[in-house]
């Protein structure tokens, strides 16, 4: 039984004909036109063979592949009852984005579970009205519910799932052999299929207790024998009752001979495996990588290759996602304890490219893909007369995709509710262009499928107002002239200087890294009299240093960097504003790398101009930059003798467009609307977490990282602990190592991105970035493990790179490690009035 939602129509438009040069039919791939009417395929015509009627909606996709919509018969939508894990809206949106047009929802991980007719009705009620693709439902077998099975079967459930060992869901207990005999007697003669989670307890056997943060410890607790014994039991029952039985998410290749033998004897036994068993291996799971945990577990590389061979043989019938979402807190990332962590891997949206990326190099064809992910799953779900192939009379469920297009899995493209997945950063082949449902609705997946708000609509102005409140909270300011620049942090630096500095003004720049150098460069271009105070990378400026510079140069503006990311220095700010004002100067502070990760109080610290960026702690895509001007800075900027040299960055225009001057808003420029959505979300998440909590988290994880680095024998670059930036840690690379070999090793094996230093720190530092969402003990452990591995496997040489300026001095190479950042999908948020931060302050 499928339950159709109504939300899908808003995402696209209805089509009546789909045309492509690569349509995957049962026996061929050829140019064809698929005619659609009333949700069904009416006809499939060769090539471009007819004249189109007036009003006909034709979707010509050129050389993109058109094939049946994917059917995923194993997902956990978790409704009703556990929407914090997943929901029908988010799960089906992710499915549509991944080319999946039908999902079949498992009966557990919801409350109540689908084990009675009343519970099934509750499941249908919770799904109705919010599904973006077709949804069918499995029932569940638990001890004592055999009388409920036939009514659910008659209501449209195609089969029932059960566990042979303890399920993590207390509402869904496992069954014993006696229970199964009762159930199979009850269902004998029906077309029902029984689904088995194929693990079975091993009597008195207990694993040896090992380090709970090591994946091997968890893997040893779930040996192959648990699956082998369970599949022996299932095969015997299947042969005895000749009732269709299905093994879900097979992980152990050691069970394949049992399956082969049972089929030879006539057992109606089918088998699925999951994308994570075909893609991931135990050898590459890092310590504390609890988001890899699932049951049965991910096993070794040799096991994976045997599963691929079984697919080619036909011994495994289909490939599914086994999408089982889990929020980060239930994965215990900070502890990295595999035994405490809840199992389950989120992958629903990426099944097609995950499979195709590996399958195409192993000789699998598009027809093989259709069999494994469309036709056979349709048959298992008893939908083969409606779905799974392109033929007249079948549902017009299609996926349109490019099997040659590569893309990187990024957090901000994920539509299922919890974004935690092992596949972040993976480069996959096979990008989905669109899905079509049975009503001919054409839906573009991904971020681009959502209609944008106009940049001068009242709704956009409301979003901008909310962004202003969020920036005021993050900056801890009441300044009315607070807004976001449509550009990166560099653009905000230019905006600050262009508006505050006129030709001939003295600008004093505190230089201890690249950002001071950049500020001096921009100021010179503006015709300012630029004076510099210079410190070596790794050092900071004292109040005495600043006062001497102010007294000597009497600048109009002092520029200083709060978080110097090129050297890892955190600049103390207390007292600087009062000093600047005593000498008649404005204080301009760069907080791109520090905002949200280290305390900053714009009003209290008397900062006149403060700016930041979106892509650091806020974890928002780059392209927006928060900025705020004090009343003193506002007056200087708006009462210039000459216009700012940039119209785009003219503060007068920007103040009006952002509603900061009390006048009717006028069009100034077209802003990055998508980025504004994301910026609002990033600020909202920071507000929900609380600034104090964010500062504390970054400090704790930074200290934890420092301790681990020192245990590895690595030397911290910034000498004074008080001056170490909690978001970027700099370390000295041990002498004798080729930095290029280390960077390549970490990238190839651990997908940790490595870059060199910046400005004065080029060739001097190794930087580890832990910002926002990525500031976790798990990521610290991941970096430490990777560095330890690199130091053990990379060559240690006394020969230094001739291009390194320090080679002749016998210094080791010192370059940069940067963890990639995540970002967040938009949800609607509203900010409350700003308050000065306290122990429990929130927006």
């Amino acid at each position: 039984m499928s339950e159709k939602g109504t939300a899908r129509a808003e995402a696209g438009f209805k089509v009546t004909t789909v045309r492509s040069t690569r349509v995957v039919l049962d026996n061929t791939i050829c140019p064809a036109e698929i005619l659609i009417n009333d949700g069904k395929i009416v006809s499939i015509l060769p090539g471009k063979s007819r004249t189109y009627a007036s009003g006909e909606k034709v979707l010509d996709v050129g050389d993109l592949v058109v094939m049946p919509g994917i059917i995923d018969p194993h997902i956990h939508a978790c409704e009703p009852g556990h929407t914090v894990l997943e929901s029908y809206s988010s799960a089906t949106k992710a499915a549509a984005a991944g080319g999946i047009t039908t999902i079949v929802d498992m009966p557990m991980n919801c409350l109540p579970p689908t084990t009675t007719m009343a519970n099934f009705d509750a499941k249908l009620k919770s799904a109705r009205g919010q599904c973006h693709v077709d949804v069918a439902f499995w029932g569940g077998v638990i001890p004592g519910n055999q009388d409920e099975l036939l009514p659910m079967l008659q209501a449209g459930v195609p089969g029932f799932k059960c566990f042979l060992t303890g399920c993590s869901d207390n509402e869904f207990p496992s069954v014993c052999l006696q229970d199964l005999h009762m159930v199979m007697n009850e269902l004998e003669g029906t077309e029902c299929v029984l689904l088995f989670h194929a693990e079975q307890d091993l009597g008195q056997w207990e694993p040896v207790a090992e380090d709970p943060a090591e994946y091997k410890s968890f893997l040893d607790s779930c040996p192959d024998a648990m699956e082998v014994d369970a599949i022996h039991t299932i095969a015997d029952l299947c042969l005895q009752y000749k009732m269709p039985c299905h093994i879900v998410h097979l992980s152990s290749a050691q069970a394949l001979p049992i399956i082969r033998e049972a089929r030879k004897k006539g057992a109606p036994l089918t088998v699925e495996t999951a994308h994570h068993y075909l893609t991931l291996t135990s050898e590459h799971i890092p310590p504390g990588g609890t988001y890899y945990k699932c049951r049965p577990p991910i096993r070794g590389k040799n096991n994976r290759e045997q599963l691929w061979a079984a697919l080619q043989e036909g011994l495994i019938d289909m490939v599914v996602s086994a999408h089982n979402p889990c929020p980060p807190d239930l994965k215990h990332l900070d502890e990295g304890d595999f035994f405490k962590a809840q199992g389950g891997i989120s992958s629903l949206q990426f099944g097609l490219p995950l499979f195709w990326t590996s399958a195409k190099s192993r000789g699998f064809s598009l027809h093989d893909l259709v069999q494994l992910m469309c036709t056979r799953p349709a048959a298992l779900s008893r939908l083969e007369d409606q779905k799974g192939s392109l033929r007249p009379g079948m549902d017009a469920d299609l996926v349109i995709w490019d099997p040659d297009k590569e893309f990187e899995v990024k957090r901000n493209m994920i539509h299922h509710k919890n974004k935690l997945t092992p596949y972040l950063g993976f480069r996959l082949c096979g990008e989905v262009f669109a899905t079509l449902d049975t009503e001919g609705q054409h839906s573009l997946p991904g971020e681009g499928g959502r209609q944008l708000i106009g940049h001068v609509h009242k709704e956009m102005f409301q979003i901008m107002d909310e962004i202003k409140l969020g920036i005021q909270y993050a900056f801890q300011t009441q300044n009315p002239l607070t807004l976001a620049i449509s550009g990166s942090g560099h653009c905000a630096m230019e905006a600050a200087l262009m508006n505050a500095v006129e030709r001939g003004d003295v600008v004093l720049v505190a230089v201890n890294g690249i950002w001071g150098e950049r500020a001096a460069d921009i100021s010179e271009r503006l015709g300012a009299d630029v004076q510099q105070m210079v410190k070596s990378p790794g050092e900071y400026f004292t109040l005495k240093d600043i006062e001497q510079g102010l007294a000597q140069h009497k600048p109009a503006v002092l520029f200083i960097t709060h978080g110097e990311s090129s050297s890892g220095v955190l600049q103390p700010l207390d007292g600087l504003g009062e000093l600047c004002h005593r000498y008649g100067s404005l204080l301009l502070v760069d907080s791109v790398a520090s905002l949200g990760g280290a305390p900053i109080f714009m009003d209290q610290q008397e900062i006149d101009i403060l700016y930041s960026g979106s892509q650091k702690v806020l974890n928002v895509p780059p392209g927006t930059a928060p900025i705020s001007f004090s009343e003193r800075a506002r007056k200087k900027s708006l009462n210039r003798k000459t216009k700012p040299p940039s119209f785009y960055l003219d503060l007068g225009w920007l103040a009006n467009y952002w509603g900061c001057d009390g006048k009717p808003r006028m069009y100034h420029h077209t802003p990055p609307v998508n980025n504004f959505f994301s910026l609002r979300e990033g600020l909202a998440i920071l507000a929900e977490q609380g600034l104090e909590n964010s500062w504390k988290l970054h400090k704790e994880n930074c200290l934890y990282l420092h301790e681990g680095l020192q245990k590895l024998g690595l030397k911290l670059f910034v000498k004074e602990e008080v001056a170490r930036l909690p978001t970027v840690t700099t370390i000295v690379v041990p002498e004798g190592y080729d930095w290029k070999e280390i960077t390549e090793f970490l990238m190839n094996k651990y997908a940790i991105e490595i870059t060199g230093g910046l400005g004065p720190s080029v060739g001097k530092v190794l930087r580890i970035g832990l910002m926002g969402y990525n500031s976790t003990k798990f990521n610290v452990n991941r970096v430490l493990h990777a560095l330890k591995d690199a130091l053990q496997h990379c060559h240690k040489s006394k020969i230094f790179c001739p291009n390194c300026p320090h080679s002749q001095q016998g210094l080791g190479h010192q370059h940069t490690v940067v963890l990639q950042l995540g970002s967040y999908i938009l949800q609607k948020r509203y900010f409350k009035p700003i308050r000065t931060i306290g122990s429990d302050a929130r927006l």
Side-chain angles (χ1 to χ4, degrees):
M1 177 175 181
S2 64
E3 180 72 9
K4 186 59 132 184
T6 60
R8 199 173 184 184
E10 67 184 10
F13 59 87
K14 184 174 289 189
V15 300
T16 56
T17 300
V18 176
R19 183 172 66 211
S20 171
T21 63
R22 290 195 287 178
V23 177
V24 184
L25 304 177
D26 288 345
N27 299 311
T28 187
I29 300 174
C30 63
E33 293 182 343
I34 303 172
L35 278 60
I36 300 168
N37 185 42
D38 197 24
K40 298 290 183 180
I41 297 175
V42 176
S43 180
I44 301 177
L45 304 176
K48 199 173 180 181
S49 56
R50 65 191 184 90
T51 303
Y52 299 111
S54 175
E56 190 168 354
K57 301 294 193 302
V58 180
L59 180 63
D60 189 336
V61 298
D63 294 331
L64 295 177
V65 168
V66 177
M67 71 178 210
I70 292 168
I71 298 170
D72 193 331
H74 191 148
I75 75 105
H76 296 263
C78 306
E79 279 201 79
H82 293 308
T83 52
V84 67
L85 303 178
E86 192 62 281
S87 69
Y88 283 111
S89 177
S90 54
T92 56
K93 185 179 292 185
I100 300 166
T101 55
T102 303
I103 61 172
V104 192
D105 188 17
M106 284 294 171
M108 76 289 300
N109 289 19
C110 54
L111 193 63
T114 317
T115 52
T116 69
M117 191 60 208
N119 293 357
F120 180 44
D121 287 338
K123 172 77 80 169
L124 288 174
K125 183 178 179 180
S126 66
R128 191 170 286 117
Q130 55 171 327
C131 299
H132 299 260
V133 300
D134 285 347
V135 181
F137 307 88
W138 297 112
V141 171
I142 61 173
N145 81 325
Q146 62 269 15
D147 291 341
E148 296 282 352
L149 304 182
L150 284 177
M152 282 193 283
L153 193 64
Q154 293 164 359
V157 168
F160 302 92
K161 181 179 180 180
C162 63
F163 283 77
L164 299 183
T165 190
C167 172
S168 59
D169 187 342
N170 293 329
E171 301 290 327
F172 203 97
S174 57
V175 294
C176 65
L177 198 57
Q178 181 180 355
D179 295 321
L180 289 172
H181 282 295
M182 294 174 63
V183 166
M184 296 180 96
N185 276 308
E186 180 73 16
L187 297 174
E188 197 168 15
T190 68
E191 295 183 357
C192 173
V193 58
L194 274 184
L195 285 67
F196 292 85
H197 180 116
E199 286 185 295
Q200 194 163 288
D201 290 331
L202 299 178
Q204 299 301 313
W205 175 86
E206 290 187 7
V208 177
E210 298 286 352
D211 183 354
E214 290 291 335
Y215 182 73
K216 185 178 182 300
S217 302
F218 169 65
L219 184 59
D220 288 345
S221 73
C222 311
D224 296 80
M226 294 182 72
E227 282 189 85
V228 170
D229 284 7
I231 291 172
H232 264 302
T233 300
I234 297 163
D236 289 344
L237 287 167
C238 190
L239 281 168
Q240 179 180 347
Y241 287 92
K242 291 294 190 291
M243 179 178 177
C245 295
H246 180 74
I247 297 167
V248 302
H249 49 47
L250 174 74
S251 94
S252 175
Q254 291 185 22
L256 292 171
I258 305 168
I259 296 165
R260 185 182 292 109
E261 183 63 24
R263 285 182 173 175
K264 284 182 180 179
K265 294 178 180 178
L269 182 64
T270 54
V271 182
E272 71 183 41
T273 192
H275 298 296
H276 39 275
Y277 302 130
L278 297 173
T279 306
L280 308 172
T281 61
S282 59
E283 292 89 344
H284 290 89
I285 298 177
T290 53
Y291 54 81
Y292 285 85
K293 179 180 177 180
C294 57
R295 293 288 301 266
I298 296 162
R299 304 189 188 276
K301 181 178 179 181
N302 182 59
N303 182 85
R304 180 186 69 181
E305 296 310 310
Q306 291 182 66
L307 294 179
W308 276 106
L311 276 174
Q312 290 173 314
E313 180 187 345
L315 198 55
I316 297 176
D317 301 276
M318 64 197 73
V319 184
V320 305
S321 70
H323 175 71
N324 195 358
C326 182
D329 59 325
L330 296 182
K331 284 292 187 182
H332 292 276
L333 292 178
D334 286 347
E335 298 175 70
D337 189 324
F338 280 98
F339 293 93
K340 290 182 180 179
Q342 181 172 301
I345 288 180
S346 297
S347 63
L348 178 63
Q349 188 172 332
F350 303 106
L352 173 57
L354 280 169
F355 177 79
W356 184 245
T357 299
S358 298
K360 68 173 186 173
S361 63
R362 290 176 164 86
F364 285 76
S365 68
L366 290 174
H367 281 111
D368 294 327
L369 186 155
V370 169
Q371 286 293 313
L372 292 166
M373 297 182 70
C374 307
T375 307
R376 292 174 187 164
L380 172 71
S381 310
R382 303 303 187 251
L383 296 169
E384 66 270 31
D385 59 339
Q386 305 172 51
K387 303 176 184 293
S389 62
L390 300 184
R391 296 195 305 270
M394 302 292 279
D395 286 352
D397 290 352
L398 312 177
V399 55
I400 302 166
W401 65 295
D402 186 345
D404 303 313
K405 181 71 177 294
E406 290 190 1
F407 69 96
E408 181 180 342
V409 178
K410 297 182 179 180
R411 182 183 175 85
N412 62 349
M413 67 173 58
I414 298 175
H415 289 288
H416 49 74
K417 181 166 287 189
N418 289 292
K419 320 303 180 188
L420 188 65
T421 174
Y423 302 117
L424 283 175
F426 272 43
R427 288 204 64 82
L428 302 179
C429 189
E431 185 173 62
V432 174
F433 169 74
T435 58
L436 269 76
D437 69 3
T438 54
E439 296 179 1
Q441 295 296 334
H442 168 213
S443 175
L444 291 174
E447 296 172 295
R450 189 170 187 167
Q451 186 175 356
L452 301 182
I453 298 174
H455 58 279
V456 291
H457 286 191
K458 63 179 181 179
E459 293 85 359
M460 191 70 239
F461 289 151
Q462 180 181 345
I463 289 171
M464 293 165 70
D465 290 343
E466 293 169 3
I467 289 172
K468 286 165 55 179
L469 287 170
I471 296 172
Q472 288 174 325
Y473 174 72
F475 284 5
Q476 285 295 285
T477 183
Q478 299 280 354
N479 291 335
L481 187 44
T482 300
L483 51 92
I485 299 293
S486 298
S488 66
H490 272 93
C491 197
M493 179 189 286
E494 295 217 37
L497 290 166
M498 281 185 180
N499 285 281
V501 175
E502 293 195 74
R503 181 171 294 276
D505 281 352
V506 177
V507 176
L508 179 61
V509 181
V511 179
N512 61 346
I514 190 174
W515 307 118
E517 290 183 346
R518 294 283 171 91
D521 187 341
I522 293 169
S523 298
E524 287 176 357
R525 294 166 186 257
L526 296 172
D529 177 6
V530 178
Q531 302 296 326
Q532 297 186 32
M533 299 182 296
V534 180
K535 291 275 190 178
S536 298
E539 297 182 357
Y540 66 94
F541 295 89
T542 65
L543 286 175
K544 183 178 180 181
D545 296 328
I546 300 296
E547 184 164 16
Q548 287 176 348
L550 292 170
Q552 179 181 352
H553 300 292
K554 296 181 174 55
V557 175
L558 167 68
F559 175 94
I560 199 163
T561 307
H562 185 222
E564 179 49 75
S565 58
S566 66
S567 60
V569 168
L570 179 69
Q571 171 64 46
L573 295 178
D574 287 345
L576 293 189
E578 189 274 330
L579 264 181
C580 285
H581 299 153
R582 189 190 309 166
Y583 286 91
S585 302
L586 296 178
L587 175 59
L588 195 170
V589 176
D590 176 315
S591 66
V592 171
S594 59
L595 182 69
I600 192 166
F601 303 88
M602 185 174 185
D603 289 354
Q604 182 180 320
Q605 293 169 329
E606 298 185 46
I607 299 169
D608 293 297
I609 307 174
L610 179 64
Y611 69 86
S612 189
S614 57
Q615 75 275 20
K616 303 295 184 182
V617 173
L618 293 179
N619 293 147
V620 175
T624 55
I627 192 168
S628 182
F629 294 77
S630 70
E631 181 60 20
R632 185 182 288 105
R634 186 191 72 83
K635 286 180 178 178
K636 184 177 191 315
S637 299
L638 297 180
N639 294 300
R640 300 168 52 96
K641 299 173 184 176
T642 60
K643 290 183 178 181
S646 169
F647 176 83
Y648 187 71
L649 299 177
D650 187 316
L651 187 60
W653 279 95
L654 291 173
N656 175 264
Y657 182 54
W658 277 85
C660 301
D661 61 1
K663 301 176 183 178
R665 299 189 189 194
M666 297 174 61
Y667 166 74
H668 174 240
H669 69 283
T670 303
V673 173
N674 275 351
N675 290 44
F676 281 179
F677 290 168
S678 300
L679 178 59
R680 181 184 63 174
E681 178 69 1
L683 290 165
I685 290 169
L686 177 64
E688 289 176 352
Q689 181 184 17
L691 275 170
E692 286 184 321
N693 291 331
S694 182
W695 297 336
K696 180 182 178 183
L697 175 72
H698 283 82
K699 183 175 181 179
E700 289 176 350
N701 290 331
C702 174
L703 293 174
Y704 182 59
L705 173 63
H706 294 173
E707 180 183 352
L709 290 170
Q710 290 169 335
K711 286 180 180 178
L712 290 177
L714 296 171
K715 182 179 178 182
L716 296 172
F717 183 74
V718 179
K719 295 181 177 60
E720 295 188 49
E721 182 176 338
V722 69
R724 291 171 184 161
L725 180 61
T727 56
V728 179
T729 293
T730 49
I731 58 176
V732 179
V733 176
E735 288 190 6
Y737 283 89
D738 183 341
W739 69 270
K740 289 185 179 179
E741 186 180 5
I742 292 177
T743 60
E744 290 174 1
F745 180 87
L746 294 178
M747 174 58 76
N748 292 337
K749 185 168 183 179
Y750 294 99
I752 295 177
E753 183 181 359
I754 307 295
T755 62
L758 293 171
S761 70
V762 170
K764 294 182 180 180
V765 297
L766 230 162
R767 303 182 303 151
I768 303 174
L770 291 169
M771 304 177 190
Y773 177 82
N774 277 337
S775 181
T776 64
K777 286 185 178 178
F778 165 74
N779 278 342
V780 172
N781 289 330
R782 178 173 175 244
V783 172
L784 294 173
H785 173 75
L787 285 172
K788 180 179 179 181
D789 198 13
L791 294 175
Q792 291 173 346
H793 288 88
C794 293
H795 297 92
K796 188 173 183 180
S797 172
K798 295 181 180 179
I799 301 175
F800 298 104
C801 172
N803 296 322
C804 178
H806 303 280
S807 296
Q808 305 306 317
Q809 303 174 35
L811 298 177
H813 294 276
Q814 301 149 358
H815 290 266
T816 304
V817 178
V818 181
L819 290 181
Q820 294 186 4
L821 302 178
S823 55
Y824 294 84
I825 296 294
L826 170 73
Q827 295 177 10
K828 194 165 186 179
R829 312 275 184 159
Y830 295 94
F831 292 106
K832 297 177 183 178
I834 186 73
R835 295 192 314 200
T836 302
I837 194 163
S839 61
D840 62 346
R842 294 290 184 274
L843 284 179

